[in-house]
Each structure stands twice: as structure tokens, then as C-alpha cells.
Amino acid sequence: MVRVLFVCLGNICRSPMAEGIFRHVVGEAGLSADIIVDSAGTHAYHIDEPPDSRAQAVAARHGIDISALRGRQATPADLADFDYILAMDTENLAALRRIAGAHAAKIQLLRRFAPDRGDDEVPDPYFGSTSGFERVYDMLEDAAHGLLADIRSRHLQGH
Ligand code: 4NP
């Protein structure tokens, strides 16, 4: 089993979209029994809240329902439990490193898995317009495919 955690600041915009998209991609690949997908925020602002309505709407437009997800805050136990801990931006990365203990090496920027983008950030869309959420969606979808390819090659050979 491979465990994947997406992390942003509030766990109501970027990381729940990433969770929904990646779960969909994993399902299409027939790997739902092999990969656990979750998301969390570095801050406690939105615990138990559903994703932002704009994030839900953009995901729904692409056929992905994230309405049942609820915000939670990343904990030190998450750093131990998950194999891939994927930060959206360098601020998330730094916040995770502060609680990572011996697990700091598991934390990476998600966009390193996007084919052309290198180590770049998924920008916070919270204070912007709907088009920012569409742009974030496209970035997350790109990265989801690269991430799955990485997991297959490292952990799921023969699947
Ligand atoms: P997220 O977006 O980190 O992608 O979930 C944000 C959500 C809430 C806030 C900031 C960013 N906030 O300041 O409450």
C-alpha cells in the first residue's frame, strides 16, 4: 500500500482538489486498492469545513465530486504514516518541515511531478477569481499523472 497526502494551507481549495483529482486518476488506473489518498492543511482555520464552493464547482465541471471532503490539519503522525507528503507551495513545505521530525525527506513540492514545470508552486487561489481555480485544476491534473507514474515505477512494478 502506498499512502499519499496532499497539503495546502487551509485544506479547502488546493489540497482537496488534488485529493479528488488524484483519487480519480488512481481509480481510472485500477489502483484504488493499492494507493490511499488524503489531504490536510497546515493551519486550523477550516477544520471540518467542506471545500470552498469555487473548488467544488471547478472539480464538478470536470466530473469530480469533492463535496463530501472535510478540512483537517496535518499532524506529526501524518508525517510518519504517509509515504508521499506533497506540499502545494514553499510556505506549506516549510510548515510541514517544522513538524516533520525524522520524516522531512518525505516532503516534496507536488509540482516536481508535473512533466514540464520543475520545482514550482501551485499558487493559492483563495483570494483570486474563479479562473485561478481553473488554472490550479489544470496544474493539479498535470501533476497527478506524473505522480502516478512515479509511484508505479518505485512501488507498484508489475501493476
Ligand atoms: P488552500 O487555500 O490553502 O488552497 O485551502 C486557502 C484557504 C483558506 C485560506 C487561505 C488559503 N485562509 O486564509 O483562510
Side-chain angles (χ1 to χ4, degrees):
M1 190 67 76
V2 181
R3 293 172 170 80
V4 177
L5 183 69
F6 297 99
V7 182
C8 62
L9 180 71
N11 194 209
I12 56 165
C13 298
R14 292 165 291 177
S15 63
M17 289 170 79
E19 178 182 346
I21 292 165
F22 192 60
R23 184 170 288 127
H24 181 76
V25 167
V26 166
E28 281 187 329
L31 293 170
S32 299
D34 300 292
I35 302 176
I36 288 177
V37 188
D38 197 1
S39 66
T42 57
H43 285 65
Y45 306 137
H46 299 286
I47 289 175
D48 289 334
E49 290 180 23
D52 184 283
S53 58
R54 298 164 294 176
Q56 290 194 45
V58 169
R61 247 197 312 281
H62 293 269
I64 293 176
D65 180 3
I66 60 169
S67 62
L69 302 182
R70 293 293 178 266
R72 73 176 185 87
Q73 187 174 20
T75 65
D78 288 325
L79 277 292
D81 292 346
F82 285 87
D83 303 298
Y84 286 74
I85 298 155
L86 301 164
M88 298 295 149
D89 61 34
T90 54
E91 194 183 309
N92 311 147
L93 193 77
L96 287 167
R97 285 198 175 131
R98 284 196 286 275
I99 62 165
H103 304 291
K106 294 182 186 176
I107 308 166
Q108 316 181 63
L109 280 176
L110 172 64
R111 282 188 94 195
R112 69 167 295 198
F113 296 102
D116 315 320
R117 305 267 170 61
D119 275 333
D120 200 355
E121 301 186 315
V122 180
D124 182 352
Y126 187 68
F127 297 104
S129 63
T130 304
S131 67
F133 282 76
E134 282 287 359
R135 220 162 66 79
V136 161
Y137 185 95
D138 291 343
M139 290 178 185
L140 295 174
E141 192 173 46
D142 270 4
H145 290 287
L147 174 62
L148 183 60
D150 188 87
I151 292 173
R152 275 184 190 276
S153 69
R154 286 177 200 276
H155 302 279
L156 300 175
Q157 302 236 354
H159 286 246

